[in-house]
């Protein structure tokens, strides 16, 4: 099985992503991808990266795994955690080590 890397999500940036959730599905936008610099490249390990998603205040997801699909290269089950609310937006991150 191939590990996902940042390039798998580049087509998602700026797009609305549908999230399968209970009790109702949610919708978020992949705001940007943070590529973490890793000083040593080791074969078989991916470059760490973080996906940063935003949503409106009415989309409130607890930390957990959800199925994300924007119609391009998915769906993928991704674990997200909440970040601090800023203004009228909720923010979430998914860290890939």
């Amino acid at each position: 099985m191939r590990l996902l890397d940042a390039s798998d999500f580049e087509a998602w940036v700026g797009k609305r992503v549908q999230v399968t959730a209970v009790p109702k599905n949610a919708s978020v936008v992949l705001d940007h991808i943070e590529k973490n610099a890793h000083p040593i490249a080791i074969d078989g390990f991916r470059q760490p990266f973080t996906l940063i998603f935003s949503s409106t205040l009415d989309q409130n997801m607890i930390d957990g795994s959800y199925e994300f699909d924007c119609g391009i290269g998915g769906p993928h089950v991704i674990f997200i955690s909440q970040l601090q609310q800023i203004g009228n937006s909720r923010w979430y991150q998914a860290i890939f080590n």
Side-chain angles (χ1 to χ4, degrees), residues 14-59:
K15 296 202 178 349
R16 185 145 307 279
V17 181
Q18 299 305 312
V19 183
T20 303
V22 174
K24 67 177 188 170
N25 292 342
S27 179
V28 298
V29 172
L30 178 54
D31 188 72
H32 65 280
I33 301 171
E34 295 177 355
K35 297 177 182 174
N36 305 334
H38 196 280
I40 302 171
I42 302 171
D43 287 340
F45 289 88
R46 68 173 159 215
Q47 182 81 15
F49 66 98
T50 303
L51 303 178
I52 303 294
F53 295 95
S54 63
S55 74
T56 56
L57 293 178
D58 63 329
Q59 306 289 315

